[in-house]
Amino acid sequence: MQFVPHKACLVGAVLAAAVGTLAAQDKPTIATVVKISGIPWFNRMETGVKEFASSTPTVNASQSGPATADAAQQLKIIDDLVARKVNALAVVPMDPAVIEGALKRAMDRGIVVVTHEADNQKNTHANIEAFDNAAYGAALNERLATCMGKQGKWTSFVGSLGSRTHLQWVDAGAKNAAKYSGMQLVDAKNESFDDANKTYEKAKEILRKHPDIKGFQSSAGNDVIGIGRAIEEAGLAGKVCLVGTGLPNPSAKLLESGAITAIGFWDPKDAGLAMNRTAKLLLEKKKLDNGIDLGVKGYEKVTVTKGPGQGLLLVGNAMVIADKATYKYYMF
């Protein structure tokens, strides 16, 4: 991914101002760092972070992220926050492996680290998943298989080949599809970098290469928009199936036209709340017991087990799959 200097500088300036203001107020600071700023998924997460901040006056909370889906830019932001001695980090890693060193430095300095969408992250006190990722990927694929009549070619998209959850979802999808002898996976794991335009171009390329393709399973929040647009422009709405992660508001028109078959999601707002509440509990030296209620929808009875490192793995029950008939119940 090409580095964008002026955007990165802008993010750094905003970050410095926000953290500087927070530090001056002599309250614990929880800094949320997302994969990419300015897209619907993480705009929605910021709503949760702001809700947490307004409802928890004893803590300062803010959100930042790189201007593009670039793990190196995210690493720089985390390094800056560690240097500024924030009290806690709540991170949605673009690539868990890239930030392991930075998170270790944070933990060594006494900074609480909470992660999300990274159950392989070793240097974290707690990683929070909205649901069992294999179950989610299989559920998306089962919906796709049903739409396809369990026959025909299908392909998959991920935000990046370093994105832990995206790979878990499409791998579980492939395992589910293997139950059906008539389903054939082609050109798997196309990288979109969560860019709807890049996804659109790649989807058009796949439609040209495989004119008989019957289905797409996607992962990043913008993928269904790009793929759905390509399907609709090709006059294939309702003929080629598309099931993937996406949000109701941005997906509405393509769900109505039939270009998107169904979307899967969890509410990023609630994930932002859950991460920040977990960070606050850890700052207060509270124990995270199995079955804990984080006071957030979908995280009322969280399964807590040991993670791959010294931290804990928390798994909620926040999965939603919606289609044209049901998406309006979740308008965000």
Side-chain angles (χ1 to χ4, degrees), residues 47 67 149 161 170 193 216 235 291 318:
T47 300
L161 292 173
V170 297
F193 298 100
F216 291 78

Side-chain angles (χ1 to χ4, degrees), residues 19 23 29 79-88 109 111:
V19 174
T29 299
D79 281 337
D80 287 346
L81 289 165
V82 172
R84 294 175 190 278
K85 300 179 181 179
V86 296
N87 301 95
R109 295 184 186 190
I111 296 172

Side-chain angles (χ1 to χ4, degrees), residues 12-36:
V14 172
L15 176 64
V19 174
T21 301
L22 297 178
Q25 295 177 22
D26 195 28
K27 295 179 183 178
T29 299
I30 303 174
T32 298
V33 183
V34 298
K35 295 180 183 180
I36 177 171

Side-chain angles (χ1 to χ4, degrees), residues 2-308:
Q2 184 178 3
F3 184 69
V4 186
H6 71 283
K7 290 186 178 180
C9 291
L10 177 60
V11 170
V14 172
L15 176 64
V19 174
T21 301
L22 297 178
Q25 295 177 22
D26 195 28
K27 295 179 183 178
T29 299
I30 303 174
T32 298
V33 183
V34 298
K35 295 180 183 180
I36 177 171
S37 290
I39 64 172
W41 190 274
F42 291 115
N43 289 343
R44 177 66 176 175
M45 181 169 282
E46 190 168 21
T47 300
V49 174
K50 288 179 177 178
E51 182 178 315
F52 172 79
S54 64
S55 65
T56 316
T58 57
V59 172
N60 289 304
S62 63
Q63 178 174 306
S64 60
T68 58
D70 187 333
Q73 287 190 42
Q74 187 183 50
L75 173 62
K76 183 179 185 305
I77 291 171
I78 293 169
D79 281 337
D80 287 346
L81 289 165
V82 172
R84 294 175 190 278
K85 300 179 181 179
V86 296
N87 301 95
L89 288 166
V91 184
V92 188
M94 182 70 191
D95 186 332
V98 171
I99 62 171
E100 286 285 16
L103 297 188
K104 185 179 187 304
R105 289 191 293 276
M107 294 172 72
D108 287 347
R109 295 184 186 190
I111 296 172
V112 165
V113 174
V114 175
T115 50
H116 175 54
E117 289 195 69
D119 68 1
N120 62 334
Q121 196 83 60
K122 293 179 180 178
N123 291 294
T124 182
H125 291 102
N127 179 75
I128 302 174
E129 298 298 309
F131 38 65
D132 178 274
N133 286 302
Y136 177 72
L140 292 180
N141 188 265
E142 187 62 27
R143 190 62 177 264
L144 181 68
T146 299
C147 176
M148 292 173 58
K150 302 172 183 175
Q151 295 283 335
K153 293 180 181 178
W154 68 285
T155 192
S156 58
F157 276 70
V158 295
S160 79
L161 292 173
S163 180
R164 169 68 171 174
T165 53
H166 295 189
L167 293 175
Q168 287 176 301
W169 300 341
V170 297
D171 284 344
K175 184 177 180 180
N176 183 78
K179 298 186 303 186
Y180 306 115
S181 60
M183 289 184 69
Q184 179 187 356
L185 178 59
V186 297
D187 296 342
K189 298 178 182 176
N190 298 280
E191 283 188 287
S192 70
F193 298 100
D194 214 334
D195 184 317
N197 289 325
K198 289 181 179 178
T199 311
Y200 164 71
E201 294 296 339
K202 187 63 180 179
K204 286 200 300 179
E205 179 185 322
I206 290 171
L207 288 169
R208 287 193 296 268
K209 183 177 179 181
H210 301 284
D212 56 343
I213 197 163
K214 295 298 182 184
F216 291 78
Q217 178 176 335
S218 63
S219 305
N222 280 323
D223 289 356
V224 288
I225 306 303
I227 300 167
R229 178 184 163 200
I231 289 172
E232 190 169 70
E233 287 186 2
L236 296 171
K239 298 175 183 177
V240 171
C241 304
L242 167 58
V243 179
T245 302
L247 293 181
N249 268 341
S251 304
K253 289 184 179 178
L254 292 168
L255 281 164
E256 289 292 340
S257 74
I260 298 176
T261 308
I263 52 173
F265 56 92
W266 64 104
D267 191 338
K269 176 180 79 70
D270 293 338
L273 279 167
M275 279 196 295
N276 277 263
R277 289 187 179 177
T278 299
K280 181 174 181 290
L281 288 171
L282 291 172
L283 284 170
E284 295 169 346
K285 311 296 184 185
K286 300 287 179 64
K287 190 176 179 182
L288 302 177
D289 292 315
N290 189 41
I292 188 172
D293 182 357
L294 296 177
V296 182
K297 185 178 180 182
Y299 304 85
E300 299 96 340
K301 191 175 181 180
V302 176
T303 300
V304 180
T305 57
K306 186 183 182 305

